[in-house]
């Protein structure tokens, strides 16, 4: 949805244990978007936390990560799930995916992007071992945990409650999440 | 340059201590490219190593990481340097950058991409601390260290000897690197 400069977006893990993939785009040019690799470079940290400024693919400030009532376990290194992911997991065609959800959400606004940017995977629990291995664990988010992003420019923000039900990242039971736009 | 299916590309850290940013694209469609986030997801590891298959943004095999005579310290989480990076570091306009090098290399082939994908940063030494912080260290690559990628489809491959001379990732002294195409 459109979130104007100064407005905030609160994303709520209503029932807990749910990963929410998140993207943000410049409302004037969807080729400018929240960039995980530029944000990691700017913060010198794998994962943003409350108080951080998140940047776009031109390294310009796009969002303030204003608050986080959860334990702060999020991911920036894993690609959003897509039809190819579920095909390789042996699912029948037609399994819902975060990438499809992004394209549908933009289509609903009359917008489109050629490819799906890397997502900020809220509440996705992917610890990095000392050897650089990635583990796929259940979220530690509790019911009612929430984050707030404040728009520093006019944005299109998109969320997808991750429909992954093959591996246990959503505790095997994907559920809904909710959001609210907050006044400036 | 173009590297046909079955051909290999050897990249040599000729003088040591040099980071080389690397990209690969499907020669038939530059919207299909080597993807760091899909490769990390497929490998369940932050950084590929010799023996791994690297995938594109459709999760399809694109390159075999055939050999690596270096200590294997590479990076996939940092964005390639670009004019915005050097502006924020206080450099005068016109500083060379890996993103500009990508665009010029493609232009030389009569090709273009709208935005610069995340790069595979060969020999870039960015350890992740237990708290998820990223450290910017000097490379541990020695003179003559090399890697070989084998093309699994017809590819356009691009390399940039990173011109970063403000922070110490190239030991403060960027130098040339070299390559050779290897027959099938």
């Amino acid at each position: 949805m459109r979130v104007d400069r100064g407005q905030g977006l609160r994303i709520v893990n209503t029932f807990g244990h749910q990963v929410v993939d998140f993207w943000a785009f410049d409302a004037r040019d969807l080729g400018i978007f929240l960039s995980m690799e530029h944000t990691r470079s700017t913060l010198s940290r794998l994962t943003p936390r409350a108080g951080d400024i998140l940047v776009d693919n031109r390294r310009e400030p796009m969002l303030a990560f204003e608050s986080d009532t959860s334990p702060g376990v999020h991911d920036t290194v894993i690609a959003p799930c897509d039809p190819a992911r579920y095909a390789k997991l042996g699912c029948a065609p037609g399994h819902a995916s975060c990438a499809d959800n992004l394209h549908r959400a933009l289509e609903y606004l009359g917008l489109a992007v050629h490819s799906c940017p890397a997502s900020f995977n809220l509440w996705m629990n992917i610890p990095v071992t000392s050897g650089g291995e990635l583990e796929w664990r259940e979220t530690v988010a509790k019911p009612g945990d929430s984050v707030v992003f404040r728009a520093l420019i006019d944005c299109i923000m998109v969320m997808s409650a991750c429909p992954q039900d093959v591996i246990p990242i959503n505790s095997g039971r994907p559920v809904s999440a909710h959001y609210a736009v907050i006044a400036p």
Side-chain angles (χ1 to χ4, degrees), chain A:
Chain A
M1 95 220 49
R2 183 167 172 119
V3 182
D4 286 336
R5 181 181 172 191
Q7 290 184 317
L9 182 74
R10 182 185 306 280
I11 307 173
V12 184
N13 207 321
T14 317
F15 305 108
H17 306 288
Q18 178 61 43
V19 170
V20 176
D21 283 26
F22 174 77
W23 300 264
F25 300 85
D26 185 325
R28 299 163 307 177
D29 178 356
L30 269 55
I32 298 171
F33 50 81
L34 176 65
S35 167
M36 292 301 100
E37 63 262 30
H38 293 89
T39 294
R40 285 189 297 259
S41 304
T42 299
L43 298 175
S44 292
R45 197 180 325 113
L46 272 189
T47 306
R49 55 190 177 215
D52 285 336
I53 300 295
L54 315 189
V55 304
D56 64 28
N57 54 334
R58 303 166 312 164
R59 301 180 193 262
E60 289 300 312
M62 178 173 256
L63 305 176
F65 189 177
E66 196 167 274
S67 70
D68 184 354
T69 71
S70 79
V73 176
H74 311 292
D75 169 73
T76 69
V77 304
I78 294 296
C81 62
D82 51 27
R85 172 68 159 142
Y86 293 105
K88 286 176 192 299
L89 285 170
C91 300
H95 194 293
S97 72
C98 286
D100 277 355
N101 286 346
L102 167 73
H103 292 300
R104 285 182 190 166
L106 291 177
E107 189 181 12
Y108 183 78
L109 299 173
L111 301 171
V113 290
H114 180 69
S115 63
C116 177
S119 43
F120 186 10
N121 303 313
L122 299 168
W123 300 300
M124 192 172 187
N125 185 5
I126 306 287
V128 182
T129 70
S130 58
E133 306 289 327
L134 303 173
E135 297 184 352
W136 303 71
R137 293 202 195 152
E138 296 187 13
T139 71
V140 295
K142 303 173 302 300
D145 278 350
S146 68
V147 297
V148 173
F149 297 111
R150 183 73 56 179
L152 303 179
I153 61 169
D154 293 344
C155 286
I156 305 292
M157 298 191 196
V158 178
M159 294 150 282
S160 166
C162 177
Q164 176 60 263
D165 54 1
V166 184
I167 63 169
I169 60 166
N170 296 305
S171 305
R173 188 181 54 90
V175 291
S176 301
H178 293 84
Y179 67 87
V181 176
I182 303 170

